[in-house]
Amino acid sequence: MSFSLDGLSAPVRFSAKLEAAIKDVLPSTDPFDSADFDATAHINRLFPTEESLSEVEPKMLELQDQMKVLDEEVLQTVRQQTSAGTSARRDLESGKQSIGELMVKVRDIKAKAEASEQMVHEICRDIKSLDYAKRHLTQTITALKRLQMLVTAVEQLEVMARERMYAEAANLLQAVNSLLAHFESYVGIKKIDDLREQINTIRTTLRMQVFDDFNQLSADNSTVAPSHAKFETLQGACTVVDALGPDTRKEMVAWFCSWQFAPYKHTFQPYGEAGTLSKTELRYSWHRQLLKTFDASFGSLFPPSWRVGHAITVEFCQISFKHLEEILDQSRGSLDVSVLTHALLKTTEFEAFDAYMGIYVSLEDKALEDMGIKMLASEKWTVTPTGRADSRVFESSKELFINLRRSFKRATPLHMSAVLHDLHKVWARHLKLYAKSCLGQLPAVKQPDDPSQMPTCNIDITVQQRVCAVVNTCEYCHETTGQLEESIHKALDEAYRAKVDLSPVQEEFQTVVTAGMRVLVAALEHRTAPMLKAMTQVKWAEMEEIGEDTSKYMNDLVAEARELMPQLGEALHPLYVRFFCDKFVASFVPKLIGYIYRCRRIGEVGAQQMFADMGMLKQTLLALPTLGQANATNAYTKLVTTELFKAEQLLKLVQTPEELLETTVEEMNKDKDNTSGAIDLHKILELKGLKKTDAQAVIDAMNDATRAATEGSKKLKNVFTKIGAQLGT
């Protein structure tokens, strides 16, 4: 059974936010308060069957009682709200009245505060005015007192200056200067300007009087001390000079020095009787005598703070510097180094002359440059083919170091580390220039674009001997440069030793040595190029049996090497013979292997013949140092064996039948001592005579077999791993 309330009006609906707010403020479990309350559904829940209709009357009575209670609560709430509203309006009116009274009081307080602040400002302004008046009144009184003192002092100073009372005038002048400093800001005031002009006039008068008195001393042309009275007057004049300021003191000292050095300028003027470079020692004697005369006659006249003795020495240095500079400049091309060195020795006994030694260093540089030009012009770049190999050096190298030693001996007695340091740079530059000249004597080597090809370097025996001489000469220069550096270090102070380094020069000579050895290696390689080309033209694949003798190309190649080595042994030090052998083997054998690959088809018999040829080559290479009058080292023997092993392995593979090739390659790859590198099977199969397609088929088959073997080994390894695990458990 169900009821329908279609006739009833729909319930009031609010928004979702409002419903949520009501539920949050007034939580309720009453179904009538639910936002989605459905009256029909509610009645059907209360009376689901006909039997339950008997409860309708009681339920209605219950609802009516509830409605009465709610009506009473609503009425009571309305009454309370009405009473509360009346009370609230009354309280609001009372609050407004209190706020109005408070605002009136605040305005009164603010007006009184503004009046007080204005009063404070007026009081402070009056105080500031009084303080300003007091301060300026004090300054005015002080200025008037100082002005009175200044006027009095100027009047007294004028009297003392007129009477030449120098000591008292100096004291007053210092006081006047101090007082006048207080009136620097008083510009445009007539009294102050008049006083300032009067003081300047007195200062000018005092200066003229002081210089007149000293000029009278010079007019007497006396080198003895002045009389006691005159001496006291001049001492007072010195105090006046100090009071007149540093400019006047400098002028006085300069005047005195000029007076003292007038005879010196005349006697030692350039190109005069005593003005030559050889008479330099007399200058220092004259200066020492002047200082003695000054100390005896005028030493106590001038105040110590003037340092007149120092000024005399400085003046002497400046005048002498100009004289010597002019002498050296005019005779730059005709100077005698020995005369210059003697002058420098005497000069260094007088003072530290390091800052002015540039001209000496330049002169040594010019002398070495002139020597180098003459030396290289007369050098024939040939050596006498006799004596020890390491003594066969160019005469110019010996002459160069003879001149460097002379330059070193001239500079060492100066005991000037800075000069020796600068000179070592000059020597280093000339040594590098000589290394460059030696490098220019080497013939050019034309390297091919393909590094496996032989270089072009066609030289005759004369050029070959010159190359060997370049190597020996640069080795001699390398060693002698090291000895020169040791000598320089011994002559230098500790502070300069670390700055002297001739290792870059030694590297320059070593670079030339290496370049010379490359020329010799390239020359032999160039001579072997026709033999290797002939090797590629032999029809190796058509050979049916091995010959009893070595192939012609190999005989010719060996003959070239055997012919060259004795020549190098006669011309080079054994060290460089071994150096040559090392470089030749390391460069030649890889190119030889490249030429073997160019033979295209060799075949098994041809490979056997070529293998026999390699044996002849190996014997020859091992004997190269001995042929050049040097001992073969273990390292060289290992180098030859290692390099030729690559060619031998290649030829062994060419000889190996196809069915055994795979096994042979695997054994080579497993060999830890194998130095032949990666094996190019494709080229080997071509050398054996297979076509490219057939060679590729063999390679593919070998790769498949290798992969299969690899997979099988992996499976077998897994089986053994499982068995081992089971045994372990």
Side-chain angles (χ1 to χ4, degrees), residues 461-478:
I461 186 63
T462 302
V463 177
Q464 178 180 301
Q465 292 294 334
R466 185 169 72 241
V467 173
C468 294
V470 168
V471 172
N472 292 333
T473 299
C474 289
E475 171 59 24
Y476 162 75
C477 292
H478 178 277

Side-chain angles (χ1 to χ4, degrees), residues 372-596:
I373 294 174
K374 296 178 181 178
M375 176 187 70
L376 294 178
S378 61
E379 179 60 72
K380 298 180 180 179
W381 301 108
T382 58
V383 295
T384 304
T386 57
R388 291 173 46 191
D390 55 359
S391 66
R392 299 179 187 178
V393 299
F394 298 127
E395 289 297 324
S396 55
S397 64
K398 300 178 182 178
E399 186 177 351
L400 171 63
F401 278 100
I402 289 174
N403 282 275
L404 291 181
R405 289 190 183 96
R406 289 174 179 170
S407 178
F408 176 76
K409 290 181 179 179
R410 286 194 295 267
T412 304
L414 299 177
H415 301 293
M416 301 170 70
S417 293
V419 174
L420 198 57
H421 171 264
D422 292 341
L423 278 175
H424 108 277
K425 295 181 180 179
V426 172
W427 301 333
R429 186 172 65 84
H430 286 283
L431 286 170
K432 288 183 178 181
L433 289 175
Y434 186 72
K436 186 176 180 181
S437 299
C438 291
L439 182 63
Q441 301 307 311
L442 297 178
V445 177
K446 184 178 180 182
Q447 296 291 348
D449 296 334
D450 184 359
S452 65
Q453 295 284 345
M454 293 300 179
T456 301
C457 184
N458 187 13
I459 60 176
D460 56 18
I461 186 63
T462 302
V463 177
Q464 178 180 301
Q465 292 294 334
R466 185 169 72 241
V467 173
C468 294
V470 168
V471 172
N472 292 333
T473 299
C474 289
E475 171 59 24
Y476 162 75
C477 292
H478 178 277
E479 181 180 355
T480 312
T481 300
Q483 297 172 358
L484 176 63
E485 183 180 23
E486 292 178 3
S487 300
I488 296 173
H489 281 168
K490 292 178 182 178
L492 285 174
D493 296 337
E494 186 67 28
Y496 281 92
R497 287 176 189 167
K499 299 179 181 179
V500 173
D501 182 15
L502 291 180
S503 59
V505 178
Q506 292 181 295
E507 291 175 3
E508 290 280 345
F509 286 114
Q510 194 59 48
T511 300
V512 181
V513 170
T514 304
M517 299 308 298
R518 283 201 300 264
V519 170
L520 296 176
V521 171
L524 182 54
E525 287 183 332
H526 175 79
R527 295 175 188 178
T528 62
M531 295 76 176
L532 296 180
K533 184 177 180 181
M535 180 186 72
T536 62
Q537 295 173 351
V538 175
K539 297 181 180 180
W540 299 101
E542 298 179 4
M543 285 187 178
E544 297 180 356
E545 61 181 7
I546 302 175
E548 296 181 359
D549 298 327
T550 307
S551 301
K552 183 180 183 306
Y553 79 91
M554 185 56 70
N555 287 329
D556 294 341
L557 190 152
V558 168
E560 288 289 347
R562 289 182 175 275
E563 180 185 1
L564 175 66
M565 291 312 300
Q567 299 172 359
L568 296 183
E570 287 290 332
L572 289 175
H573 188 276
L575 172 67
Y576 287 105
V577 172
R578 291 191 292 268
F579 182 85
F580 169 83
C581 294
D582 291 339
K583 293 301 181 182
F584 177 73
V585 172
S587 177
F588 172 75
V589 177
K591 295 174 182 176
L592 170 65
I593 296 175
Y595 274 89
I596 293 176

